[in-house]
Amino acid sequence: MTLQAQVNYTANDQVTPYDGFFRFGANPGWHGSNWKNKDLANLAAGNESLNIQGAGVKTIRPSLSDAVLGVYGYDLELDAFQHYDEVGLTENVVFVGYPKAEHKETEHFCADYPSQLFANIYLPIWDNGENGTPVNDDNFYALYLYNIVTRYDDQVRFWEIWNEPDYDYSGNGWKPEGTEGNWFENTPEPCDYKLWAPVTHYVRMLRISYEVIKTLAPDDYVAVGGLGYASFLDVILRHTDNPDGGTVTDEYPLYGGAYFDVLSYHTYPHIDGSLRYWSNDINGFVYERHSDKAVEGVLNLKQDLQTVLNEFGYDGNTYPEKVWIITESNIPRKQFGEYIGSEIAQRNFLPKVQLACEQNGIKQLHLYALADDKTENDAASEFQIMGLYGKLSDITPGEESRNVLGTTSATHSMLLYGKRYDAERTAEMNLPANVGGGAYRWNDGENYTYLLWAKTNTDESEVAQATYSFPASFGHTQVKWLEWDYATTENQQIIGAEDITLTGAPVYLFDASLSQTTVLAKNTFFLKANPNPVTNKVNIEFELLAAANVQLTIYNANGKLIKELIDHQSRGLGAYTQSFDMKELPAGMYTCLLQVNEKIATIQIVKQ
């Protein structure tokens, strides 16, 4: 890693738009000494060399805590993180914090409990390399960040500052403005929430994080810790890191919004009130416990958070817009109390919420969790049995069992990862009000996979039915129909493209003339020329699903090299366009060759 000059901008000045593919992720958790992080990565992403199919996970959210690495060595997870790359877990999120004993603040801002944060956070961040590092080694949090970012940057894209810093002990986090104790109009006391420290100390963590991470890894993103309350976001945005009340001074010039690029939030619609509302007619709650309403709840919290961002100018006008990720979400597969809970509701929720994320600019969704902590009979809480896999702690690798949710995830990833949600094509589908879904554009830019279902609207039921016909303009006469368990069964059927009967379970449809091999191709890139045929300038478009070494060349019909457009250059994930003027070349057939690492794709370009 080449050390950059200390960052001289903030998120009030710039936030690099994130154009990577949507990634489904998981929280790996701890499942006993039998399971190393490499083993969990294999379960998440799959590992062909070990004949492990995986659960379709494309990114992961582990922790790199000072409490562990500061004790056992900062190199402890290097092999595991390298393995993430090897199995295709990229653009990862890491949540940071949690000091070891020697680095922990000893002051009690809350009478009964010491601060959970690092000591010395108000010492200078930088010291001009006086101790061998560019950061001030006595600022324990800055030193900790230096140690992890310099080691793990290549496998991390999002650095999430703490996990659920707004975990509420007071009961005031959810309250709206105008109610007693609400956080929109009152500042939480240290005893009110998880950190047991003044909120200005959390803003200070954000400031240190932004300066250190952006200096060491300017292409990475700093995320506010997975928030659950819009009111706590309001708290962050109206305080500086000034320990004297969070006010603006020359030393503390900016509010907390200047020190993060990414709004990361946690959403569990079964417990946040999304699935019920109060009715005066019955003097009680009306319940709407089904998967479509749960998806709506996920988006409602995003809207609440966006409203706060807009109020403080983070709407793309005054300040740049934030990037969005969700680092914990799920609904239960077993009912506890009044909460939603069924295997079919959870199964239906997963593809629906992934589509909703892509439709609403959310770049990642990390499921809680990779595996169950308990068996269904032993579980005392729904959070103990939300996994893609069954309980792992009393078995060893090779004995694991993928849950229905894991099969659903594997199918969704197999059929849609690397394809992009297409809002224009979705609009052209003219979906009836009782049908949910969308269109995903393939890498060739011409074909599509469609995700469709009948919307549910009955409490504690996933039963629904609707009819849909593809527009004649799409040219589909027959389509292939695949269901949630395709990753296991490989079952499919061919049906007519009109009067398709849908249920509450999402299905995957594509033109029946397309080969299954093409649909399931594990592409890492695609290649296209536009216009083609061409008279003058051609735009050669390609897209990478991961960073790679790229060579792009043009040959004539005799195999002679005409032009080397890209000569083995390193390119990050994303879409690229390379223009080439063919005006002076004779008419005929030319070959464009794209080499991405060891893989090659070619297309023919006709010069008129």
Side-chain angles (χ1 to χ4, degrees), residues 47-362:
N47 188 323
E48 290 184 5
S49 66
L50 299 177
N51 199 30
I52 300 173
Q53 185 183 36
V57 174
K58 298 298 181 182
T59 188
I60 201 163
R61 181 186 178 245
S63 172
L64 289 173
S65 72
D66 185 54
V68 174
L69 300 186
V71 174
Y72 298 102
Y74 282 97
D75 292 342
L76 180 68
E77 297 293 340
L78 287 176
D79 286 346
F81 273 65
Q82 181 60 46
H83 188 68
Y84 296 160
D85 253 356
E86 293 168 359
V87 296
L89 296 171
T90 58
E91 302 296 292
N92 299 311
V93 179
V94 160
F95 64 89
V96 305
Y98 307 93
K100 65 180 182 179
E102 300 93 312
H103 289 170
K104 196 171 183 179
E105 174 66 70
T106 58
E107 185 170 353
H108 283 58
F109 301 102
C110 174
D112 295 328
Y113 305 100
S115 166
Q116 296 299 293
L117 304 186
F118 286 75
N120 298 348
I121 59 174
Y122 279 94
L123 293 180
I125 301 171
W126 308 96
D127 67 0
N128 300 314
E130 294 174 6
N131 298 296
T133 68
V135 299
N136 177 4
D137 288 16
D138 292 327
N139 185 319
F140 297 142
Y141 182 60
L143 179 62
Y144 152 72
L145 287 176
Y146 174 81
N147 280 324
I148 60 174
V149 175
T150 53
R151 288 168 168 82
Y152 297 96
D153 166 51
D154 287 347
Q155 284 79 41
V156 179
R157 182 67 67 193
F158 300 95
W159 300 90
E160 192 179 34
I161 311 309
W162 217 269
N163 177 53
E164 297 182 343
D166 60 346
Y167 193 96
D168 179 19
Y169 297 137
S170 68
N172 292 322
W174 65 271
K175 292 181 179 178
E177 293 182 55
T179 56
E180 183 178 357
N182 78 85
W183 288 353
F184 288 103
E185 298 166 310
N186 301 278
T187 300
E189 296 295 330
C191 290
D192 289 346
Y193 73 115
K194 187 176 186 177
L195 302 184
W196 295 331
V199 293
T200 52
H201 288 213
Y202 182 68
V203 178
R204 179 65 176 177
M205 281 185 64
L206 290 175
R207 182 175 180 178
I208 297 169
S209 302
Y210 195 90
E211 289 199 27
V212 173
I213 292 169
K214 289 294 186 179
T215 296
L216 298 173
D219 293 334
D220 289 355
Y221 292 86
V222 177
V224 67
L227 300 185
Y229 299 108
S231 62
F232 193 77
L233 176 61
D234 194 280
V235 171
I236 293 170
L237 298 184
R238 69 176 190 259
H239 285 83
T240 73
D241 54 326
N242 186 349
D244 186 13
T247 57
V248 172
T249 66
D250 289 343
E251 188 175 1
Y252 306 103
L254 299 174
Y255 296 110
Y259 304 121
F260 65 94
D261 319 273
V262 176
L263 199 296
S264 167
Y265 73 102
H266 291 179
T267 168
Y268 293 100
H270 69 290
I271 60 173
D272 68 5
S274 295
L275 307 186
R276 69 180 190 181
Y277 64 91
W278 183 264
S279 171
N280 289 329
D281 293 339
I282 66 171
N283 195 33
F285 286 109
V286 175
Y287 290 87
E288 301 173 289
R289 290 165 290 192
H290 53 77
S291 58
D292 283 280
K293 195 66 179 180
V295 172
E296 187 178 316
V298 169
L299 299 180
N300 285 344
L301 180 52
K302 179 181 187 290
Q303 184 56 57
D304 291 344
L305 293 162
Q306 185 64 65
T307 297
V308 174
L309 289 174
N310 291 346
E311 289 174 355
F312 286 87
Y314 294 96
D315 54 5
N317 295 315
T318 304
Y319 302 122
E321 293 181 299
K322 304 296 186 185
V323 175
W324 289 84
I325 60 175
I326 296 173
T327 52
E328 285 187 25
S329 187
N330 206 346
I331 62 172
R333 72 168 185 267
K334 180 180 178 181
Q335 189 163 23
F336 286 81
E338 67 175 15
Y339 300 140
I340 188 175
S342 76
E343 190 170 70
I344 189 171
Q346 187 187 61
R347 187 192 78 197
N348 289 348
F349 172 75
L350 191 60
K352 292 178 183 182
V353 75
Q354 291 196 54
L355 173 60
C357 286
E358 296 187 71
Q359 290 174 320
N360 290 274
I362 299 168

Side-chain angles (χ1 to χ4, degrees), residues 273-517:
S274 295
L275 307 186
R276 69 180 190 181
Y277 64 91
W278 183 264
S279 171
N280 289 329
D281 293 339
I282 66 171
N283 195 33
F285 286 109
V286 175
Y287 290 87
E288 301 173 289
R289 290 165 290 192
H290 53 77
S291 58
D292 283 280
K293 195 66 179 180
V295 172
E296 187 178 316
V298 169
L299 299 180
N300 285 344
L301 180 52
K302 179 181 187 290
Q303 184 56 57
D304 291 344
L305 293 162
Q306 185 64 65
T307 297
V308 174
L309 289 174
N310 291 346
E311 289 174 355
F312 286 87
Y314 294 96
D315 54 5
N317 295 315
T318 304
Y319 302 122
E321 293 181 299
K322 304 296 186 185
V323 175
W324 289 84
I325 60 175
I326 296 173
T327 52
E328 285 187 25
S329 187
N330 206 346
I331 62 172
R333 72 168 185 267
K334 180 180 178 181
Q335 189 163 23
F336 286 81
E338 67 175 15
Y339 300 140
I340 188 175
S342 76
E343 190 170 70
I344 189 171
Q346 187 187 61
R347 187 192 78 197
N348 289 348
F349 172 75
L350 191 60
K352 292 178 183 182
V353 75
Q354 291 196 54
L355 173 60
C357 286
E358 296 187 71
Q359 290 174 320
N360 290 274
I362 299 168
K363 301 302 183 180
Q364 293 191 357
L365 170 71
H366 291 256
L367 194 78
Y368 184 89
L370 179 63
D372 295 345
D373 292 324
K374 298 285 187 178
T375 64
E376 288 201 15
N377 289 336
D378 293 339
S381 159
E382 70 275 18
F383 288 98
Q384 296 173 330
I385 51 168
M386 281 188 166
L388 297 166
Y389 288 86
K391 182 183 177 184
L392 301 177
S393 58
D394 53 2
I395 61 175
T396 59
E399 299 176 322
E400 67 276 353
S401 176
R402 193 170 64 185
N403 289 333
V404 164
L405 189 64
T407 299
T408 304
S409 170
T411 296
H412 190 85
S413 182
M414 180 184 294
L415 297 176
L416 293 182
Y417 178 67
K419 299 174 175 66
R420 288 193 182 270
Y421 168 72
D422 192 314
E424 182 177 347
R425 185 72 167 189
T426 300
E428 292 171 354
M429 292 173 69
N430 297 318
L431 295 175
N434 62 342
V435 173
Y440 286 80
R441 174 174 44 84
W442 292 18
N443 291 342
D444 61 12
E446 299 173 357
N447 293 301
Y448 298 87
T449 296
Y450 307 96
L451 182 68
L452 288 172
W453 67 90
K455 291 182 180 178
T456 53
N457 53 30
T458 303
D459 182 41
E460 293 193 297
S461 175
E462 293 295 306
V463 176
Q465 185 169 313
T467 301
Y468 177 73
S469 297
F470 283 100
S473 60
F474 284 16
H476 304 319
T477 56
Q478 291 185 313
V479 292
K480 290 184 179 178
W481 165 296
L482 284 67
E483 298 184 0
W484 65 272
D485 58 354
Y486 177 81
T488 297
T489 67
E490 298 187 0
N491 289 339
Q492 59 178 291
Q493 57 180 309
I494 295 177
I495 62 173
E498 296 182 356
D499 298 324
I500 300 170
T501 300
L502 301 171
T503 70
V507 294
Y508 305 84
L509 304 168
F510 52 88
D511 194 279
S513 66
L514 299 170
S515 74
Q516 201 72 357
T517 301

Side-chain angles (χ1 to χ4, degrees), residues 304 565 580:
D304 291 344
L565 299 173
F580 177 49

